[in-house]
Amino acid sequence: MKSVWIAAVVAWLVLVLPAGMSPAGESAPPALRVEGYGFEVTKLAEDARAYGNRGYVWKDVPEALRGWQFTRTNGGDLARMDAIAGADGVVHIATADKQKGIDLTGWEKVDGWEFYYTDGGKTRMQVYRRSAKAAQKLPIPQGNWTGGIVLAPRIVAAPMDRKADLSLVPGVVVHHSAAMSGLYIGSPGIAVLDDGAYLAKCDLFGPKSKEHDSAITLVFRSEDKGASWKQAARIDGLFWSNIFSHRGKAYQIGTQKHHGRLVILRSDDGGRTWTAPADADSGLLVDSGEYHTAPMPMLVHNGRLWRAMEDASGGKLWGLRYMPMVISAPLEADLLKRSSWTLSNALHGDVKWLDGQWGGWLEGNAVLTPEGHVVDILRVQTRAGGKAAIVRISDDGKSASFDPARDHIDFPGGAKKFTIRYDERTKRYWSLTNPVPPIFAKDTAGGTRNTLGLVSSADLRTWRVHCLLLHHPDRSKHGFQYPDWLFDGEDLIAAIRTGYDDGLGGAHNAHDANFLTFHRFKDFRKLTMAESCIDPAKLGMKP
């Protein structure tokens, strides 16, 4: 998993003039009303400060525009603005010169109207224009590092409260972290305790987080089977962890930070307080090294607990640096003691695999095969996706091996994290994944997370999609990813890292999610493609 911080330099300047009037016209146009938040109104001038949180200043401002007002924002912080013209006229915008990804359909370039601000690249702005009607509300695009900036001869600011709208978010919102906070939701996990309470958890990553020093994990508790949630704990020094119940206690296994040491924590009071891993007797499972994992399932087999993870010391490149391994401990052991755990060897991958398309393996599942052997089934990074890898683990848990010719398998959604669990009732292995519908086939599979599918297999090698559970037509800022889930009678319950609309500009992007959500998929064993949340044929999939 990697966090994405887009330092794209794109600014929008909106100018409103009555039809036929130039900036040099003698009479001033009606004031431009700007509704929203995250800005202040100030004067545009040569050497005027461009952003509230940077020392950049405007340069080469055309004489005709000097003395106008603009809405100064903080670069990188999300603002919201709607510009409302006071009369019929022409709306002008300016965007960073040659900036990719800007849709200027309907806009006409205004030759000669250019200026720049003093970042390292002296980013140059080009002005465009189009007609607008009086009282027309024009949303100012946001989401880039610079956000949207409004410019006009006169601006009347109409501040609005920053209020999230969670009404459209699928499932039950457990936690919300707006993109503007710089804290994104990661590593969702779920557990059911002996007293019937549910625990859900997530961690925080992103530019305002402490993921590289001492990561933060949040734990939530539900007393009504997921209908409502309250925060139960905040843990400093835990990242990428799973959460599970074992012999009346709650546990989490993860790392201390991004690529940190392996740790295990225990809660004796239902998730409200947690032990601190300080040494080999209190949950610090290794003295040194770099490790990677995610909320992966625990396997109970042959009197032991098994857990897959990755040694991250195989270089510096994401994906390629990860080397799968498995740890295990006796069921009756003190799990906080390092001596209780056996670690397997870690395996190097090879970029020559899959005809040179192989880009790494990670986030493995410890699973018991139909033949009774432990394997580690991992996500495989390729552009096209749809692949997973089966690493074989010896019965004593000390040896891991892999046959690249035999043990790469087709797996719908294999380029993203998935959790596999075995169901005794159906004698099948089940998972929630992010399959890539054919209409998104041209996009990179690892970044396509806007469809959640229910899949299963009888033998771990041949998988089929039963039903599409969640979908959004936009893949750039919407995602239902990293689902951790459990069987709950006839239902399947899940905690999901969700990127979705929140009334505050939505997620930073699909990967940098803004929600932890809880879902109950009722009678999941009976679901078919005909009961999907969207007609599969519209996505190019077979019904």
Side-chain angles (χ1 to χ4, degrees):
M1 182 186 67
K2 56 184 179 181
S3 60
V4 179
W5 176 244
I6 304 178
V9 184
V10 180
W12 293 82
L13 310 176
V14 177
L15 300 77
V16 178
L17 301 176
M21 178 175 284
S22 71
E26 295 181 358
S27 60
L32 178 66
R33 179 182 174 88
V34 179
E35 298 178 347
Y37 52 76
F39 66 90
E40 60 179 342
V41 176
T42 189
K43 184 178 180 180
L44 177 68
E46 191 77 0
D47 295 321
R49 189 171 183 175
Y51 300 100
N53 60 345
R54 293 292 189 275
Y56 307 150
V57 298
W58 299 120
K59 288 290 187 180
D60 287 353
V61 177
E63 288 288 345
L65 304 181
R66 297 184 186 187
W68 287 40
Q69 294 179 315
F70 75 100
T71 53
R72 182 163 58 204
T73 62
N74 287 333
D77 289 350
L78 181 68
R80 175 180 174 180
M81 285 178 265
D82 293 313
I84 305 172
D88 290 357
V90 177
V91 176
H92 294 75
I93 66 171
T95 185
D97 195 26
K98 299 180 181 179
Q99 174 68 42
K100 295 181 179 180
I102 303 300
D103 184 4
L104 295 174
T105 303
W107 295 88
E108 177 188 2
K109 183 177 179 180
V110 181
D111 293 331
W113 280 22
E114 296 181 351
F115 51 97
Y116 71 92
Y117 63 90
T118 56
D119 64 333
K122 295 184 178 180
T123 301
R124 185 161 293 276
M125 316 302 292
Q126 172 64 57
V127 178
Y128 293 77
R129 66 187 176 195
R130 74 177 183 188
S131 299
K133 295 292 185 181
Q136 180 180 355
K137 180 179 287 191
L138 299 175
I140 307 305
Q142 301 294 327
N144 301 313
W145 182 86
T146 56
I149 302 171
V150 179
L151 179 82
R154 289 187 294 154
I155 295 175
V156 175
M160 299 168 56
D161 291 336
R162 298 188 181 197
K163 189 174 182 180
D165 178 7
L166 312 184
S167 61
L168 299 179
V169 183
V172 177
V173 174
V174 181
H175 186 61
H176 171 235
S177 183
M180 70 183 75
S181 71
L183 298 172
Y184 310 139
I185 301 294
S187 308
I190 191 166
V192 177
L193 303 184
D194 290 353
D195 64 2
Y198 293 0
L199 294 183
K201 53 77 58 179
C202 66
D203 54 35
L204 303 176
F205 70 97
K208 299 292 181 65
S209 75
K210 302 193 303 176
E211 64 173 296
H212 294 280
D213 299 311
S214 182
I216 298 298
T217 286
L218 305 177
V219 180
F220 304 87
R221 184 179 168 101
S222 174
E223 307 285 351
D224 53 12
K225 295 190 177 298
S228 63
W229 296 83
K230 292 183 179 179
Q231 185 171 322
R234 175 186 172 95
I235 303 170
D236 193 335
L238 182 63
F239 203 47
W240 292 334
S241 66
N242 66 319
I243 189 167
F244 63 100
S245 178
H246 176 63
R247 299 196 170 186
K249 311 292 184 181
Y251 290 86
Q252 294 190 64
I253 298 178
T255 61
Q256 295 171 309
K257 61 179 182 177
H258 193 119
H259 293 153
R261 293 180 292 177
L262 294 178
V263 293
I264 182 170
L265 285 69
R266 187 186 71 220
S267 174
D268 299 329
D269 58 3
R272 297 175 181 87
T273 61
W274 294 82
T275 57
D279 54 34
D281 291 324
S282 60
L284 187 59
L285 297 184
V286 292
D287 272 330
S288 61
E290 295 180 303
Y291 292 87
H292 176 272
T293 186
M296 309 314 300
M298 305 300 296
L299 170 66
V300 177
H301 169 63
N302 198 26
R304 299 180 71 84
L305 278 173
W306 303 75
R307 169 72 152 83
M309 54 189 53
E310 294 85 49
D311 185 324
S313 62
K316 295 299 181 183
L317 295 177
W318 181 90
L320 299 178
R321 68 184 295 172
Y322 300 137
M323 301 181 292
M325 56 179 287
V326 167
I327 65 173
S328 64
L331 292 176
E332 70 279 2
D334 182 347
L335 299 184
L336 298 189
K337 289 185 176 294
R338 185 185 303 171
S339 58
S340 299
W341 292 89
T342 297
L343 280 64
S344 77
N345 63 303
L347 295 178
H348 286 276
D350 192 331
V351 294
K352 296 178 182 178
W353 292 343
L354 298 179
D355 297 323
Q357 300 301 308
W358 192 89
W361 48 5
L362 62 157
E363 297 164 349
N365 292 258
V367 186
L368 191 67
T369 68
E371 296 76 26
H373 301 296
V374 176
V375 294
D376 179 9
I377 303 184
L378 298 108
R379 157 189 178 184
V380 172
Q381 177 69 12
T382 66
R383 178 173 176 78
K387 294 292 184 180
I390 302 178
V391 170
R392 300 173 185 274
I393 307 299
S394 62
D395 290 342
D396 61 6
K398 296 180 180 180
S399 177
S401 60
F402 181 68
D403 181 346
R406 180 178 64 168
D407 291 333
H408 279 113
I409 62 170
D410 293 331
F411 188 92
K416 283 83 60 173
K417 182 262 184 186
F418 51 86
T419 289
I420 298 174
R421 299 185 189 275
Y422 181 71
D423 177 32
E424 284 287 351
R425 287 181 53 180
T426 58
K427 306 300 182 185
R428 297 185 70 84
Y429 301 89
W430 294 83
S431 187
L432 299 180
T433 74
N434 296 126
V436 179
I439 66 168
F440 296 103
K442 64 180 178 60
D443 299 307
T444 302
T448 304
R449 305 174 176 205
N450 57 323
T451 304
L452 184 73
L454 174 68
V455 306
S456 82
S457 172
D459 60 3
L460 291 176
R461 303 188 73 89
T462 302
W463 293 82
R464 68 182 179 94
V465 180
H466 288 263
C467 186
L468 303 182
L469 303 175
L470 296 169
H471 175 77
H472 193 282
D474 169 63
R475 67 177 291 277
S476 63
K477 298 187 70 172
H478 297 81
F480 312 103
Q481 60 212 307
Y482 277 64
D484 189 26
W485 60 272
L486 296 168
F487 301 115
D488 192 26
E490 302 300 318
D491 304 338
L492 185 154
I493 57 174
I496 298 178
R497 167 180 152 193
T498 299
Y500 215 82
D501 308 310
D502 61 2
L504 300 174
H508 181 240
N509 56 49
H511 177 277
D512 298 345
N514 53 342
F515 288 102
L516 171 64
T517 56
F518 169 82
H519 303 256
R520 179 179 294 275
F521 301 110
K522 294 186 176 181
D523 293 323
F524 76 95
R525 297 177 182 90
K526 300 178 181 179
L527 293 177
T528 67
M529 290 297 275
E531 296 165 290
S532 294
C533 64
I534 184 174
D535 181 356
K538 293 182 178 180
L539 305 179
M541 302 177 72
K542 294 181 179 180

